[in-house]
Amino acid sequence: MLKRPLLLGLVVLAGACTNEAGLELGRSSFGDANRHNSAVLNGELDYVIQLGQRFAREVPNTINFEFNSARLDAQSMAVLDRQAHWIKQFPEVRFKVFGHTDAVGGNAFNHSLGKRRANATVNYLVSKGISRRRLQAVVSFGETQPVIAVQSRERRNRRTVTEVSGFVSNNRSVLDGKYAQIIYRDYVESAVAATTLTHDDGLNSTIAAE
């Protein structure tokens, strides 16, 4: 019988042979599989998944664009403001921004446009105080991953998506069993408001408002 680490490595390597539709094949598949395997074994991948799910649940992770444009409108900037506020609470975490387009136009043009949208999103987050080394504008998926499968103009397909991608390299020590303190620390100070009540005896005491 194969030992568990070896079996897990074989499963990860097998999974590395598949790619999402439209995703370009890279030369580093085996290196990626090795990193993935290491992340599974040391628990990092679980934390990334948990944080990614929480980010998508608590903050809009998608903004949309006008046709043939990488300009951020007021609505997009409002969403990115919320993303920046969330990201600032977790300085150990890295993020990727994926650019997308609709199906109008050629592949090369849409690839470039999607990348410009991803860069515009990253630049705005940086302007809000997020370290650029924590943000990556991923090579655009262009038109290959639509939300709505149509060949015409579709605003919902013209978007960038922000996702949790991993941990900053010099902060791996947080994976020591105490990471829950980081995951939920914003609830301790920022999400729980304090209010002062006066008792009948005239003494003041501070309690947490639910």
Side-chain angles (χ1 to χ4, degrees):
M1 178 179 294
L2 292 174
K3 293 183 179 180
R4 181 167 178 164
L6 179 57
L7 178 59
L8 180 57
L10 292 175
V11 172
V12 173
L13 286 173
C17 296
T18 61
N19 292 276
E20 291 183 88
L23 186 62
E24 295 181 359
L25 292 176
R27 297 180 179 179
S28 59
S29 296
F30 288 102
D32 291 341
N34 183 60
R35 286 190 292 273
H36 184 278
N37 192 25
S38 297
V40 170
L41 293 177
N42 67 24
E44 180 180 350
L45 186 62
D46 285 341
Y47 290 120
V48 170
I49 292 173
Q50 291 173 26
L51 275 174
Q53 291 173 342
R54 180 178 172 187
F55 179 72
R57 184 172 65 248
E58 297 182 357
V59 182
N61 64 353
T62 301
I63 61 172
N64 298 100
F65 295 82
E66 294 299 324
F67 180 72
N68 193 23
S69 174
R71 185 182 66 85
L72 301 174
D73 58 21
Q75 182 178 3
S76 295
M77 288 187 285
V79 169
L80 293 179
D81 287 342
R82 294 180 61 185
Q83 289 187 13
H85 176 74
W86 199 98
I87 291 171
K88 286 179 181 179
Q89 298 177 57
F90 301 93
E92 306 85 359
V93 181
R94 292 184 289 109
F95 293 79
K96 288 183 178 180
V97 177
F98 298 90
H100 301 265
T101 71
D102 59 25
V104 179
N107 291 337
F109 176 83
N110 283 338
H111 189 278
S112 175
L113 177 58
K115 185 63 180 295
R116 286 193 286 119
R117 287 171 174 167
N119 283 330
T121 299
V122 166
N123 290 338
Y124 185 86
L125 292 172
V126 169
S127 76
K128 292 300 177 177
I130 309 300
S131 171
R132 186 175 292 275
R133 72 189 183 97
R134 298 176 55 208
L135 301 168
Q136 180 184 5
V138 177
V139 173
S140 168
F141 288 124
E143 64 186 64
T144 62
Q145 295 186 8
V147 174
I148 307 296
V150 294
Q151 295 300 309
S152 57
R153 296 185 183 186
E154 175 52 62
R155 179 177 173 83
R156 285 169 290 184
N157 291 338
R158 302 191 298 266
R159 69 200 191 279
T160 62
V161 181
T162 306
E163 296 181 0
V164 173
S165 62
F167 292 95
V168 177
S169 59
N170 62 356
N171 276 287
R172 292 182 182 274
S173 60
V174 300
L175 299 173
D176 59 359
K178 298 181 180 179
Y179 198 74
Q181 297 175 16
I182 298 173
I183 299 294
Y184 296 104
R185 67 183 169 208
D186 57 319
Y187 290 117
V188 175
E189 295 181 357
S190 62
V192 178
T195 192
T196 300
L197 297 182
T198 302
H199 293 288
D200 292 338
D201 58 6
L203 298 176
N204 292 335
S205 75
T206 300
I207 65 172
E210 295 183 358

